[in-house]
Amino acid sequence: MPESVIIVGAGLAGLACAVRLHQAGVPVRMLEASDGIGGRVRTDVVEGFRLDRGFQVFNTAYPEARQVLDLAALDLQPFSSGLLVFHRGRRERVMLPWKHPEHALSGAFADIGTIGDKAALAAMTARDLTASGSWLRDCPERSTYDELRLRGLSDVMIDRLLRPFLAAVLLERDLETSSRFFHLIWRSFVRGTISLPALGMGRIPRQLADRLPEGTISLNTPVHEITDSGVRTGDGSTVQARAVVVATDPVQAARLLPEVEAPVMRAVTTFYHAAPSSPLREPIQIIDAEGIIADTLVLTDAAPRYSPDSRALISTSVLGLGADESRVLERLTEIYGDTSGWRLIGTYPVEAALPAMPPPLRMRQPVRLRPGRYVCGDHRDTGSIQGALVSGRRAAQAVLADSRLRATVPISG
C-alpha cells in the first residue's frame, strides 16, 4: 500500500508542510538524510553550551510563525531593538526610539551620517513600518543599494550603518539584494523583536515535529532518486507514495527534480567563544562598519541558558568560508577589550546558509511542479524562517488541492 505523501527533508519547510497535512488527516512520512531534524535550524550542545548551527535569530514579526508556532512555549529571550556600530575604535549606539525611549536621541548623535541622512532614514522607516507587506512586494524593484540612494541616503550612511547591518542579515556586502526583500526585512525588524528561544533555535523545528505522530520521521535516510511511484533511498529500497514533496536544500532539490533551478547560495562562518563573564552586559547586536566581521553578540546577555553556568557565550559571524579565528579574535579584542580569557568552543562554516535574492526576485515560485511532485523551502519564497514556513504551507495546500481533484487515484511522475 503506498504512503499518501512522502516529504524528503525534515527542515522547517518540510515540517511545516507535514504538520499542515497531518492536521488535514493526510498520512505523511518524512525521510531525512541527516541524524536530526531542522535542516539549517539546529542546536548542538557542546560542553554544556548551546550552539546554533550558524548564528540565527527569531523575529516575532514573522506572520507565518505566529500562525504555526506556540511562541510562549519557545520562551523567547529578546535582544534590544537597536545596534551598536563599531567604527574607528568606537561603538556608536542606534536604537529604535519608540521601543527604547531612554535612548531616543541615540541615533541623532551617532556618527553614522548627516542630519539629512538621518531624516531620510526616519522617513523610509516610517513608510515601511506602516506599509502592508503586499504593498511592499509590489513596489518598483531595483538593487538595495540603488534603492537606498533613491531614498536619499548618502554613501556615508550606507557604509557606516546599512551595509554592515545588511551584511549580517543578507550575507552580502554589495547590497545587490532585491529592494523588495530589503523593505520586507526592514519592516520586520522595526515591527518585531529579535530573540532566541531559551533552549536554542532547534526548539523551533522540535516544536513542529512534536505535533506529528510517532514514527513519522525517519532519520539517516537519504533519498537518491524520485521515481514514478515514489522514491528510492540510499540503501536501494523503494518507498511508494501518491505524492512526493521535496523539502531539501535547493542544491539537493535541483538534483532530485530537474524542474528546480538552484539559486546561488551565500556562505557564512560563525565562531562561538566562551568567556569568564560577559564583556558587554547588554543584549544587543554589534556590527562592524569596517567589515572585518559581520556581527557579534553576547548570546547569554539575552539567553542565559545558552551557557551551562555563569560563563558568557559570544557568537561572531564572518561572511564566507575559511576565516582565520586568530584574526577574528583580534577584532573582538578591539570591540570588547581584553579577550585573553576567552576560549573557542565551536566553529560552524555554513556553505549554503542563505539563497541569493537579487532582482528580479520572484517571491512566490511554484511549489507544484506537476501532479504528485512538489517542492518547498525558503528558496521558493524568501530566504528566511518566514519564507521556509510559508513555502511549507503552500506545498501542503497544493497537495490537498490535487488530492481533492484526483481523489484516491495513484499519481505517477
Side-chain angles (χ1 to χ4, degrees):
M1 181 71 179
E3 304 280 354
S4 286
V5 180
I6 286 178
I7 299 177
V8 183
L12 287 186
L15 288 166
C17 180
V19 168
R20 295 274 187 175
L21 291 174
H22 172 64
Q23 291 173 338
V26 177
V28 174
R29 183 176 176 190
M30 304 191 75
L31 306 179
E32 168 57 44
S34 74
D35 61 355
I37 64 168
R40 300 194 297 268
V41 184
R42 290 182 62 175
T43 303
D44 298 325
V45 178
V46 180
E47 300 181 26
F49 291 96
R50 297 182 184 276
L51 310 184
D52 296 324
R53 294 195 175 186
F55 171 64
Q56 304 165 55
V57 290
F58 180 84
N59 191 324
T60 60
Y62 290 148
E64 190 72 15
R66 294 199 301 269
Q67 295 294 320
V68 299
L69 297 173
D70 182 348
L71 300 189
L74 291 176
D75 191 11
L76 295 172
Q77 309 291 297
F79 286 97
S80 298
S81 295
L83 301 165
L84 295 179
V85 183
F86 190 73
H87 174 62
R88 294 179 179 174
R90 296 179 53 191
R91 295 196 299 241
E92 302 281 355
R93 183 180 296 274
V94 182
M95 310 296 287
L96 295 182
W98 61 90
K99 293 189 177 184
H100 297 280
E102 71 277 18
H103 297 299
L105 299 178
S106 62
F109 291 106
D111 184 18
I112 55 172
T114 66
I115 293 175
D117 281 328
K118 294 168 185 178
L121 180 64
M124 182 184 74
T125 300
R127 187 199 77 152
D128 288 359
L129 180 64
T130 56
S132 69
S134 59
W135 186 82
L136 292 175
R137 283 192 294 269
D138 291 336
C139 283
E141 187 181 28
R142 53 187 64 89
S143 74
T144 294
Y145 175 77
D146 289 342
E147 175 70 5
L148 294 175
R149 294 292 285 139
L150 184 68
R151 294 286 156 196
L153 299 172
S154 73
D155 280 330
V156 172
M157 169 70 84
I158 291 171
D159 291 341
R160 291 188 186 177
L161 178 65
L162 278 305
R163 191 185 302 276
F165 169 68
L166 292 171
V169 176
L170 304 173
L171 306 186
E172 59 103 354
R173 292 190 185 278
D174 294 333
L175 301 182
E176 63 184 23
T177 297
S178 165
S179 58
R180 291 176 177 173
F181 184 65
F182 158 70
H183 282 298
L184 291 172
I185 284 291
W186 194 249
R187 174 178 179 266
S188 73
F189 274 102
V190 297
R191 281 190 167 197
T193 299
I194 301 303
S195 57
L196 290 171
L199 297 179
M201 291 292 289
R203 300 305 299 174
I204 297 173
R206 183 74 267 163
Q207 187 181 105
L208 294 172
D210 286 346
R211 298 179 188 172
L212 300 173
E214 185 176 354
T216 296
I217 304 172
S218 298
L219 301 177
N220 299 305
T221 309
V223 169
H224 279 198
E225 184 184 1
I226 307 296
T227 68
D228 287 347
S229 58
V231 303
R232 182 172 294 111
T233 62
D235 63 4
S237 61
T238 59
V239 183
Q240 292 187 326
R242 299 182 184 278
V244 176
V245 181
V246 174
T248 65
D249 66 81
V251 174
Q252 178 72 354
R255 186 186 70 79
L256 293 172
L257 297 167
E259 301 96 326
V260 173
E261 182 178 352
V264 173
M265 299 296 288
R266 309 289 190 193
V268 67
T269 302
T270 299
F271 297 90
Y272 289 102
H273 290 92
S277 61
S278 171
L280 191 61
R281 300 190 184 281
E282 181 180 2
I284 192 168
Q285 181 184 20
I286 301 177
I287 59 174
D288 186 356
E290 271 91 53
I292 297 169
I293 64 172
D295 67 351
T296 180
L297 304 92
V298 183
L299 299 181
T300 43
D301 282 350
R305 295 172 73 183
Y306 267 57
S307 171
D309 46 44
S310 61
R311 287 174 292 171
L313 181 66
I314 299 97
S315 164
T316 305
S317 295
V318 181
L319 300 192
L321 305 176
D324 181 357
E325 191 265 339
S326 63
R327 180 67 187 97
V328 170
L329 195 58
E330 288 177 9
R331 188 59 168 172
L332 293 176
T333 302
E334 296 171 2
I335 293 172
Y336 289 112
D338 182 22
T339 60
S340 60
W342 292 25
R343 186 165 63 89
L344 182 67
I345 298 294
T347 303
Y348 286 83
V350 185
E351 184 175 5
L354 196 69
M357 292 171 281
L361 178 63
R362 190 176 181 186
M363 294 193 191
R364 288 289 186 271
Q365 294 199 59
V367 293
R368 180 188 185 274
L369 303 179
R370 47 197 157 98
R373 298 296 175 263
Y374 311 85
V375 61
C376 61
D378 61 359
H379 58 103
R380 308 310 287 179
D381 281 77
T382 58
S384 61
I385 289 174
Q386 166 74 8
L389 295 174
V390 168
S391 74
R393 166 174 54 81
R394 292 174 55 225
Q397 290 170 337
V399 171
L400 293 171
D402 282 356
S403 297
R404 284 195 293 270
L405 289 174
R406 298 173 63 88
T408 59
V409 179
I411 300 170
S412 67

